[in-house]
Amino acid sequence: MSEEYEYRFEVEELEQRSATAARLFDVRRIIGGLFVIYAIIVLIAGFTASDADVKKASGININLWTGWCMLAVGLLFLLWMKLRPLSAPGAAPKPEAGPEGGAGAGTEAGPGAGGPGTGEG
């Protein structure tokens, strides 16, 4: 019985480490972070742009506009990561409540359900 307990403990520990690594290397975190860092650099360049630089771009401070857009995209990626975090590997996704309050009740059509475009009905 002791060996089985140790085995389960090791498996649970490895699953926790795997979930932590998956969240740490989430591509949304990396992309969002890079966009935010680059946006700050471009915004600094936009705030310190000379009149000659603005004149070259037809009177538009392109670094300022690009920096704000990059910052928005980066923050959207980070917000997306916060709102929809990764689930642990191997864990079943949580069922979402359907219109009737059940877990997707009435949303799946079985064989011969006669849905649109099936030719049955």
Side-chain angles (χ1 to χ4, degrees):
M1 191 68 127
S2 176
E3 287 182 32
E4 183 179 338
Y5 176 75
E6 288 178 22
Y7 177 73
R8 284 186 182 177
F9 178 74
E10 288 179 23
V11 168
E12 289 174 3
E13 186 178 342
L14 288 173
E15 285 177 347
Q16 286 177 336
R17 286 184 185 173
S18 177
T20 302
R23 282 190 294 273
L24 181 64
F25 294 110
D26 185 4
V27 72
R28 296 173 295 182
R29 178 187 310 254
I30 296 168
I31 292 173
L34 285 174
F35 261 99
V36 169
I37 291 169
Y38 291 148
I40 292 170
I41 294 169
V42 174
L43 279 171
I44 291 171
F47 284 125
T48 60
S50 66
D51 290 335
D53 292 334
V54 174
K55 190 176 180 181
K56 273 194 243 180
S58 300
I60 299 171
N61 193 340
I62 195 73
N63 285 333
L64 205 57
W65 282 100
T66 305
W68 286 120
C69 292
M70 288 176 68
L71 185 64
V73 169
L75 291 176
L76 283 175
F77 267 93
L78 295 175
L79 181 67
W80 178 25
M81 182 191 66
K82 287 289 185 190
L83 294 177
R84 303 279 297 202
L86 288 178
S87 60
K94 294 179 185 178
E96 295 182 17
E100 285 85 28
T107 57
E108 295 187 24
T118 60
E120 298 178 25

